[in-house]
Amino acid sequence: MKSAPFDYVLARTVTEATATLAQDRRNAMVIAGGQSLVPMLNLRMALPDLLVDIGRLDELKATSATQEALQLGALVTHADIEDGAVPDPFGGLLRKIAGGISYRTVRHYGTIGGSVALADPAADWPVVLLALGAAARIASPAGSRSQSVDDFIKGQYATSLAPEEIIVGFDIPIPGARMRWGTSKVVRKSGAFASSIAVVVEQGDGDFAAAALGAAGPRPCLLPTTAQGLRSRAPQEDLRAMVADDLTALALDGDPYLTRLHTSTIMRAVREMRQR
Amino acid sequence: MKSLTVELNGATVRYEVEPRQTLADFLREQCRLTATHIGCEHGACGACTVVVNGKATRSCLRLAIMCNGQSVETLEGFPNDKIMEVLRRHFHESHALQCGFCTPGMLIMARDILLRLAEPDAQTVRQQLSGQICRCTGYANIVDAIVSAGKALRSQRAALP
């Protein structure tokens, strides 16, 4: 056995899960699909005294779509999204991203909630959820709260999640029928975490656009100048200068390779979007 | 120790396990089912791939206790499986293995691919198989075996009344 010993509780309800987290005095961690946490346990990078398994909570699998927003349960797996088992009112954006995460075996059990709760700087979902302006719904024994994913992710593997809180799901606003999107991701090998990942979205009439970049710092970030350029229909060359402004703000320490890498993923995503 | 009941290759079995025990270690050490091979133990190589509740997954990335009440199928559990039978034949005919260490995971994953995708082409198989590492074959023969198994299954299905 590679992992250090820990105790294990299977939660039957969200209330039971958050109550256990609040009351148990031991160092507890939440496990859902386990696709990131189990290797961390095996490598002894994570050393909990107690694992609270939320993987069977049907409350966290519910998904619904209205005209305004898609509500995705935290336990929706990457494979569920890849296969179209849950709605994708974003014209295939979610399906495209899901199909590129790790390997199919990992996508079968890895969840969107787990991905965001871990907040790996190079993970796919945080970048998409930032670009779409999504909010996380969070439960605790005191009740529930909602927070934009942008505010929720604090830094590298750091979120605003309190020890007794769990992510219940995500509310993703639907920008409108004329939405277009583009993505680009550079990986060293198929299935690896991104070296750079960019997602851009815009609404046809130009009143909404967003650009988000991952793996370029301790946390994924929105690119405000680039988004402004998308809204004003800036030509590619002007946009490249705006991307440069955003990247300067990210302080990549003037590394010429990283600057070119991130510029190219953002510009490829823009090109893909504008060709739609 | 925790009590664990699983439907293992069709039979209900009960064991006592430590929560930290991975499904891979549980299968090999307690159940003595050694077709499931352990390579990297952190989800990179795919040698330990098994089927849990109908979905192919890496048994090193799952705690045994998380499978309580669920069904687990290892390579030993497919003696009469139609798809596995065709895959075994094509792995043999295409010479899709050398040392054989990755083969159990390759077969489980190949079956998963053919269950989801009717007749995948070589490019699709390569993409779908990217989580399984083989250090002998260079993959070409494995990809050939799965592509031809897909074709054989399709013509078998077409021949059914």
Side-chain angles (χ1 to χ4, degrees):
Chain A
M1 273 175 271
K2 290 184 79 182
S3 171
F6 49 78
D7 199 2
Y8 168 93
V9 180
L10 179 68
R12 283 163 300 183
T13 61
V14 171
T15 312
E16 189 184 281
T18 55
T20 304
L21 291 169
Q23 286 156 19
D24 201 292
R25 295 295 178 87
R26 293 171 291 178
N27 169 29
M29 292 184 88
V30 173
I31 191 163
Q35 300 302 294
S36 297
L37 183 53
V38 176
M40 288 165 72
L41 293 168
N42 285 349
L43 297 169
R44 301 201 179 198
M45 286 159 71
L47 292 164
D49 300 312
L50 171 69
L51 279 190
V52 178
D53 187 350
I54 60 165
R56 311 267 182 114
L57 300 179
D58 286 337
E59 302 162 73
L60 305 189
K61 292 176 184 166
T63 294
S64 62
T66 63
Q67 294 255 299
E68 291 80 40
L70 174 69
Q71 302 197 315
L72 274 186
L75 287 183
V76 169
T77 65
H78 314 316
D80 289 337
I81 297 172
E82 178 186 12
D83 295 347
V86 296
D88 181 355
F90 308 99
L93 170 59
L94 300 185
R95 289 185 72 168
K96 159 101 185 277
I97 290 292
I101 297 173
S102 190
Y103 314 112
R104 179 74 189 186
T105 45
V106 168
R107 299 199 288 274
H108 274 150
Y109 282 93
T111 66
I112 187 168
S115 166
V116 175
L118 180 67
D120 189 293
D124 300 57
W125 288 128
V127 183
V128 183
L129 294 174
L130 275 190
L132 291 173
R137 260 176 295 119
I138 297 150
S140 75
S144 67
R145 67 183 175 100
S146 177
Q147 186 176 33
S148 74
V149 172
D150 195 17
D151 292 332
F152 176 78
I153 295 177
K154 295 292 181 201
Q156 190 164 313
Y157 304 112
T159 69
S160 74
L161 215 56
E164 71 280 10
E165 288 183 320
I166 59 171
I167 300 178
V168 178
F170 300 95
D171 299 311
I172 316 175
I174 299 170
R178 283 152 68 214
M179 175 198 161
R180 297 195 295 176
W181 56 268
T183 68
S184 178
K185 178 175 167 182
V186 171
V187 286
R188 292 287 297 273
K189 67 180 278 287
S190 171
F193 268 108
S195 303
S196 175
I197 175 171
V199 175
V200 294
V201 294
E202 69 178 15
Q203 209 170 319
D205 47 22
D207 54 39
F208 166 81
L213 179 68
R219 48 154 293 166
C221 54
L222 286 164
L223 307 172
T225 313
T226 306
Q228 213 167 35
L230 293 173
R231 275 192 292 275
S232 63
R233 297 277 183 278
Q236 296 287 98
E237 276 319 302
D238 296 353
L239 204 58
R240 187 175 283 272
M242 295 170 177
V243 169
D245 282 351
D246 280 327
L247 290 182
T248 306
L250 286 178
L252 301 167
D253 299 331
D255 184 315
Y257 168 71
L258 289 180
T259 305
R260 280 174 56 194
L261 173 69
H262 296 306
T263 304
S264 72
T265 51
I266 298 162
M267 294 306 291
R268 278 181 210 163
V270 170
R271 215 171 301 129
E272 184 186 78
M273 177 172 75
R274 288 183 165 176
Q275 282 167 3
R276 276 178 199 279
Chain B
M1 298 294 264
K2 300 266 179 193
S3 174
L4 166 68
T5 306
V6 287
E7 180 94 355
L8 180 57
N9 294 332
T12 304
V13 297
R14 208 178 145 181
Y15 285 91
E16 295 290 307
V17 295
E18 270 194 66
R20 62 173 165 157
Q21 184 155 41
T22 63
L23 178 59
D25 283 341
F26 167 72
L27 291 169
R28 288 181 59 88
E29 291 170 17
Q30 266 153 288
C31 308
R32 297 284 167 194
L33 293 173
T34 52
T36 302
H37 289 174
I38 295 179
C40 70
E41 294 185 77
H42 61 269
C45 79
C48 69
T49 306
V50 300
V51 180
V52 176
N53 273 3
K55 293 174 180 176
T57 190
R58 287 146 196 264
S59 55
C60 74
L61 293 192
R62 201 164 173 80
L63 302 170
I65 192 66
M66 291 167 78
C67 303
N68 192 25
Q70 299 186 326
S71 90
V72 177
E73 292 161 285
T74 67
L75 191 67
E76 290 95 337
F78 298 96
N80 303 312
D81 182 85
K82 261 269 156 298
I83 297 178
M84 206 57 105
E85 191 185 307
V86 173
L87 276 168
R88 276 197 296 266
R89 179 155 44 83
H90 284 273
F91 266 60
H92 174 92
E93 285 172 4
S94 301
H95 187 53
L97 59 144
Q98 288 181 30
C99 87
F101 193 87
C102 70
T103 310
M106 286 289 178
L107 285 167
I108 298 267
M109 196 58 211
R111 182 176 174 275
D112 184 84
I113 294 169
L114 295 180
L115 276 172
R116 286 181 289 113
L117 309 166
E119 198 183 330
D121 59 21
Q123 183 57 38
T124 308
V125 169
R126 279 185 182 276
Q127 175 68 32
Q128 291 279 331
L129 213 58
S130 58
Q132 314 295 121
I133 291 179
C134 171
R135 298 283 81 154
C136 307
T137 64
Y139 303 97
N141 291 354
I142 300 175
V143 173
D144 287 350
I146 299 171
V147 170
S148 56
K151 287 193 176 119
L153 281 164
R154 169 152 280 198
S155 56
Q156 268 186 20
R157 274 194 292 267
L160 289 175

